[in-house]
Every structure is written in C-alpha cells, then in structure tokens.
C-alpha cells in the first residue's frame, strides 16, 4: 500500500476563489444571444430529424458550429477557472417539455457523456419535491435529498460535472450556494492543520441500497475529501452519505473524524467563502465536482403542480477531464452503481474500460 500523501501548501489560482472574487468578476456567466438561441433551435430541428429519443442524441446529432466556441469557454472555466459556470437565458417558456429537454441535453453532450444518476438508470433527473422524506427507506433504497424540499448541505455529485437547468423557482427559498473546495482546504491548512490527514484519508460512503445489495452496504474503501493528484487539489464530500455509512454498516466515526466533518461544514458555510445565488428560470448551472461544492436551502412550493419548483439535472463524465486517483475515479468503491469516466467512454466506444 502506498503511503498517504497529505498536501500542506496553500492552493492558489482561479479555482481557489472566495466569495468576493466571484462577486467582483462574473466572467463565469455566459448569456445566450439571439444568434446562439437561433443556432440551438436549428440544432433541435436537426436532432429531431434523426428520429431518436432525446437520451440517444449525441453531439454529432446536435451540430453547433458557432456556439461550440462558447461551450469551449464554459469547459475552460469549469476545468481551469472558477470550476463553475452559468449559461443564462434559455427561453424555457418557449418550448414544450420535450424540446426543452432536448435543448439542454444537446448543449450538455458537447461538454461530456451523460451518465445515469440512480439505480433506475435515469439520465435526466427531475429535482423536485415528490413528498417523500430524505433518508426514509422505500423499496429497498434510501430516499435522496433531491426528491424532497429539504435543505441540501454542501456536497459534490457523482461524475466530473453536475448540471442543473432551472425551469421554475419555488414560492419561497431554494437558494443555491457554491464554495471552492480549495478555499476550504486553505482555511483548514491555516487554522486546523491537524485535521488534514483525516480528510486526505477520507471516509466510507453509504451505497444507499442503489447497487441492489441492501441499505447497509458501504463503499469498499475510504473516499478522500481532499486528494492531490497530478498538480491539482481535488475535493469530494457528502457528509450525509458518510454519516449514513457510519450508522448502517460502516465503522463508527471517531471524535477526530467528527471534528473534520464539522470543520468542512464551518468553512463551507463561511460568509467569506460561500457564494449565494437564486437561479433564474432559464439558467443552466454547471459545476466541476472536484473544484466546487454546492448546496440548496429548504423551499416552500406553490400549491398548483404547474407552478412547483423544478430543476432538470444531468451528470457528465468528461473524456478530457483531470487525472484522478483511484478512490476519486471510482466513487463509492468497486461496488458503485455509477459509471466511472472510463466506463462511460467505453460505452460510447471511445476507449476500452
């Protein structure tokens, strides 16, 4: 077994941003022009001629000869910039649900390979309150937060990039927040460096019953919160899933581990680090899961179903994404129900797994 490496130098660069930085420089917001929308609508028409379902559409079916340059800018922002981007101005009221999904899906296929988000194989996820309680067990699986109206604390999703299209806002609440993993690391390095070894060692994660092995199954190895690989600090963190693992099948958390988790919560929620935004209908938020953590506040919905808060989500593996260590490449361990980047590429015929 290789010796654990714990990085102990501050991280600099655009990915180690603080709230004031992204307030002052909003170059990470890309507003669609009339020409952009026209090109995207022509791509929708072309894709429809293929006669394929939306989830079978690939970038080659959705030609974007001019808009591709803006997508390249978005990717540079995600990988080499702030680690997040907003594509603003999707005219959500102009399209029926099928065309809106195709609009969003088509753009996203130019960024990466869409992967399933759950054991059902959903490639397009609806982030909405379905009336269930986060953490309750139904049909052998633990219900996840995105199908409730609960506060979702800071976390990262599976895959290289997570995307959300805002279709409708809530009546009240539902604020989105983002924070730089590197900025959190820098604070812990400066103020509580004794916690770094625990965070680089990582934690076991609950598989939430999504691999068919029952709700008590946990990851086959620890997943680091911080990992330094090929010159990049990478972050991965879902406290709720860590705590579920400790309660249902995994080892109990030590006092030091609890301190480390508390530090992650403290710094991720810091006013100096955290950036808050209310996503507007027509906003697509893309985040690099290795650079940025995201969260959502609790919300209250309208009574009418047609007015209820709705976000549409996709998860992407990106073939040209950063080099990852094995624990970050295969999240949740060998028993994971989710596709790794290599597996997603193999499925598309790009490389062998």
């Amino acid at each position: 077994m290789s010796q654990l490496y714990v990085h102990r130098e501050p991280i600099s660069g655009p990915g180690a941003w603080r709230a004031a930085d992204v307030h002052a420089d909003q170059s990470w917001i890309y507003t669609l022009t009339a020409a952009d929308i026209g090109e995207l609508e022509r791509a929708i028409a072309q894709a429809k001629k293929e006669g394929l379902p939306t989830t079978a559409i690939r970038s080659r079916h959705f030609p974007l000869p001019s808009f591709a340059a803006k997508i390249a800018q978005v990717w540079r922002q995600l990988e080499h910039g702030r680690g997040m981007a907003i594509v603003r101005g999707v005219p959500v009221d102009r399209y029926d649900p099928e065309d809106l999904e195709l609009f969003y899906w088509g753009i996203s296929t130019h960024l990466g390979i869409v992967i399933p988000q759950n054991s059902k194989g959903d490639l397009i996820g609806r982030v909405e309150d379905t009336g269930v309680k986060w953490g309750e067990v139904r049909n052998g699986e633990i219900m996840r937060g995105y199908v409730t109206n609960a506060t979702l604390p800071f976390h990262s999703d599976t895959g290289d990039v997570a995307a959300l299209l805002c279709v409708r806002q809530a009546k009240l609440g539902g604020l989105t927040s983002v924070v730089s993993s590197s900025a959190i690391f820098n604070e812990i390095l400066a103020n509580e460096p004794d916690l770094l070894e625990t965070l680089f060692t990582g934690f076991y994660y609950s598989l939430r019953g999504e691999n068919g092995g029952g709700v008590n199954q946990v990851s086959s190895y620890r997943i680091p919160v911080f990992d330094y690989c090929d010159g990049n600090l990478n972050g991965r963190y879902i406290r709720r899933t860590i705590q579920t693992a400790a309660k249902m099948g995994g080892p109990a958390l030590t006092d030091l581990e609890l301190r480390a988790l508390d530090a992650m919560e403290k710094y991720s929620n810091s006013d100096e680090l955290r950036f808050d935004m209310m996503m507007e209908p027509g906003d697509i938020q893309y985040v690099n899961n290795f650079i940025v953590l995201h969260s959502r506040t609790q919300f209250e919905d309208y009574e009418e179903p047609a007015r209820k808060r709705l976000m549409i989500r996709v998860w992407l593996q990106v073939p040209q994404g950063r080099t990852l260590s094995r624990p970050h490449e295969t999240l949740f361990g060998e028993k994971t129900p989710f596709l790794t980047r290599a597996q997603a590429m193999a499925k598309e015929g790009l490389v062998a797994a």
Side-chain angles (χ1 to χ4, degrees):
M1 180 180 291
S2 60
Q3 186 175 1
L4 176 70
Y5 173 72
V6 178
H7 191 72
R8 295 189 182 274
E9 295 292 332
I11 302 298
S12 59
W17 53 266
R18 301 167 74 87
D21 300 325
V22 292
H23 272 293
D25 173 20
Q26 299 201 348
S27 59
W28 48 276
I29 299 176
Y30 301 85
T31 301
L32 295 176
T33 65
D36 293 334
I37 293 170
E39 183 174 349
L40 285 156
E41 290 180 344
R42 289 191 293 274
I44 289 172
Q46 177 63 37
K48 284 182 168 182
K49 291 179 182 178
E50 300 288 340
L52 298 171
T54 293
T55 55
I57 295 294
R58 299 295 181 263
S59 58
R60 64 183 179 273
H61 305 128
F62 202 89
L64 297 172
S66 298
F67 189 70
K70 187 168 284 187
I71 293 175
Q73 292 175 21
V74 169
W75 170 245
R76 285 193 293 272
Q77 187 71 252
L78 291 174
E79 179 61 17
H80 305 293
R82 301 300 190 190
M84 63 178 180
I86 293 284
V87 174
R88 174 158 289 166
V90 178
V92 293
D93 293 332
R94 184 183 300 181
Y95 310 118
D96 60 32
E98 291 76 20
D99 281 3
L100 181 58
E101 284 190 355
L102 183 53
F103 187 111
Y104 175 41
W105 176 275
I107 293 176
S108 299
T109 62
H110 283 264
L111 276 171
I113 301 166
V114 182
I115 64 169
Q117 303 172 26
N118 52 37
S119 61
K120 302 176 183 69
D122 291 340
L123 293 167
I124 300 174
R126 294 172 64 91
V127 179
E128 60 186 342
D129 183 14
T130 62
V132 302
K133 298 295 183 183
W134 189 10
E136 71 175 302
V137 177
R138 289 195 176 195
N139 300 318
E141 292 188 9
I142 299 173
M143 294 295 100
R144 289 160 58 180
Y146 74 91
V147 293
T148 76
N149 70 338
T151 295
L152 302 182
F154 279 101
H155 65 284
S156 51
D157 287 340
T158 300
D160 292 315
V161 171
L164 278 178
L165 165 63
C166 177
V167 181
R168 294 187 295 271
Q169 295 173 318
K171 180 180 179 181
L172 294 170
L175 187 73
T176 294
S177 299
V178 286
V179 67
S180 162
S181 295
S182 291
I184 297 171
F185 166 85
N186 286 341
E187 290 297 313
I188 294 174
L189 174 66
N191 301 304
E192 301 179 68
D194 61 308
L195 300 178
L196 286 176
E197 184 170 345
T198 298
L199 293 168
F200 274 79
T201 299
F203 300 87
Y204 291 100
Y205 276 64
S206 167
L207 299 185
R208 300 178 294 219
E210 292 195 284
N211 69 331
V215 296
N216 291 327
Q217 289 229 321
V218 302
S219 59
S220 48
Y221 43 73
R222 292 178 180 267
I223 312 300
V225 174
F226 295 125
D227 188 63
Y228 197 79
C229 184
D230 198 30
N232 291 315
L233 182 81
N234 299 322
R236 278 292 189 179
Y237 177 68
I238 317 175
R239 180 168 185 163
R240 179 81 174 228
T241 313
I242 292 168
Q243 291 180 313
T244 300
K247 294 176 182 176
M248 303 176 71
L253 296 170
T254 67
D255 289 344
L256 185 61
E257 288 173 330
L258 288 169
R259 271 191 58 213
L261 294 175
D262 287 343
M264 288 295 298
E265 293 300 309
K266 176 173 66 176
Y267 295 117
S268 62
N269 284 287
S270 161
D271 290 341
E272 293 185 357
L273 302 190
R274 186 193 78 246
F275 180 75
D276 302 326
M277 59 181 139
M278 183 61 75
M279 287 181 64
E280 303 170 8
D283 281 353
I284 303 175
Q285 178 196 64
Y286 291 101
V287 296
N288 185 326
N289 284 310
F290 296 104
I291 298 177
V292 167
L293 305 179
H294 59 281
S295 74
R296 181 198 75 198
T297 62
Q298 186 176 14
F299 63 88
E300 177 186 337
D301 251 334
Y302 292 98
E303 289 296 325
E304 307 95 315
R307 298 182 68 191
K308 290 183 180 295
R309 184 183 191 270
L310 175 62
M311 304 277 179
I312 303 176
R313 185 175 73 178
V314 296
W315 285 352
L316 301 167
Q317 294 287 19
V318 182
Q320 69 270 30
R322 58 183 50 202
T323 302
L324 302 173
S325 65
R326 178 170 170 265
H328 275 182
E329 186 177 46
T330 310
L331 282 176
F332 302 110
E334 299 297 341
K335 295 176 287 187
T336 178
F338 303 110
L339 290 180
T340 66
R341 185 192 300 161
Q343 288 168 340
M345 292 173 68
K347 195 170 181 180
E348 295 298 307
L350 299 179
V351 293

